[in-house]
Amino acid sequence: MDYLKMIIFFLILTTLIDQLCDKSIYRPYLRLMTGFMLISLMMQPISYYLSNEDIVTQAISTAVKGENNSAFLDGAKEEKQNQIKEQITTLFSHYDLKVLEVDPKVNEKGTIEKIDIKTDKLRHTKKLKTAISNFYNMKESNINISE
């Protein structure tokens, strides 16, 4: 809240100074300097949070060391699998097919190795395999559609 009061006070002060230097040749330079000062005032709260060395140091050391958070990677892998399930269910619904189960195999790098799909009817399997393989950039032999 103190930063907000400082900014408001600064704006009132600069407006007053701007009115006093109404027809001066220095007015553009005064506006330029007050603009820089206003930006520095607005950056103070951001610089305060960035100055917290513990968080910044930890983030930089993790990035430099190349450490991966296994919980994050597992969450990302699970999220990708859920997206694949939703996308395949949507694709099959366009062909009036019901998906009973989708089991995508995603490796640690996030690439899809294999997809097993169980559906209520076996129709349009060639079209569906082609569409899925083109969308996920994988071989049709790695896509299994069964009833």
Side-chain angles (χ1 to χ4, degrees):
M1 190 66 179
D2 292 331
Y3 293 116
L4 185 61
K5 289 178 185 177
M6 284 176 37
I7 291 173
I8 291 171
F9 176 74
F10 179 77
L11 289 173
I12 292 170
L13 185 65
T14 56
T15 304
L16 179 67
I17 293 171
D18 193 43
Q19 292 298 320
L20 290 174
C21 299
D22 190 27
K23 296 186 180 183
S24 173
I25 60 172
Y26 298 109
R27 188 172 187 193
Y29 303 109
L30 181 68
R31 284 188 172 182
L32 178 70
M33 290 308 295
T34 56
F36 283 135
M37 291 170 71
L38 179 63
I39 289 172
S40 68
L41 272 175
M42 294 174 75
M43 292 298 290
Q44 268 185 331
I46 297 169
S47 66
Y48 170 75
Y49 289 112
L50 290 178
S51 68
N52 189 353
E53 292 181 18
D54 295 337
I55 296 171
V56 174
T57 306
Q58 183 181 8
I60 291 172
S61 67
T62 301
V64 169
K65 291 178 185 175
E67 295 176 357
N68 293 326
N69 187 352
S70 62
F72 174 76
L73 292 176
D74 291 340
K77 184 177 174 182
E78 185 177 324
E79 182 62 30
K80 184 159 188 165
Q81 288 173 338
N82 290 337
Q83 286 178 351
I84 293 168
K85 289 176 185 178
E86 289 176 22
Q87 291 167 345
I88 289 177
T89 303
T90 304
L91 175 66
F92 274 59
S93 69
H94 292 300
Y95 289 95
D96 294 325
L97 296 170
K98 184 178 178 183
V99 175
L100 303 174
E101 185 180 333
V102 178
D103 186 25
K105 306 285 191 242
V106 180
N107 65 12
E108 297 301 321
K109 294 180 181 177
T111 56
I112 306 166
E113 295 177 346
K114 187 177 182 182
I115 300 176
D116 294 322
I117 305 166
K118 289 185 182 178
T119 183
D120 60 344
K121 300 173 189 169
L122 284 178
R123 291 186 294 165
H124 310 290
T125 55
K126 182 64 179 162
K127 286 182 185 179
L128 291 167
K129 278 187 175 187
T130 303
I132 293 169
S133 70
N134 289 338
F135 187 75
Y136 293 115
N137 195 21
M138 57 187 295
K139 295 179 182 178
E140 286 186 28
S141 60
N142 292 342
I143 302 168
N144 298 323
I145 300 175
S146 62
E147 191 172 5

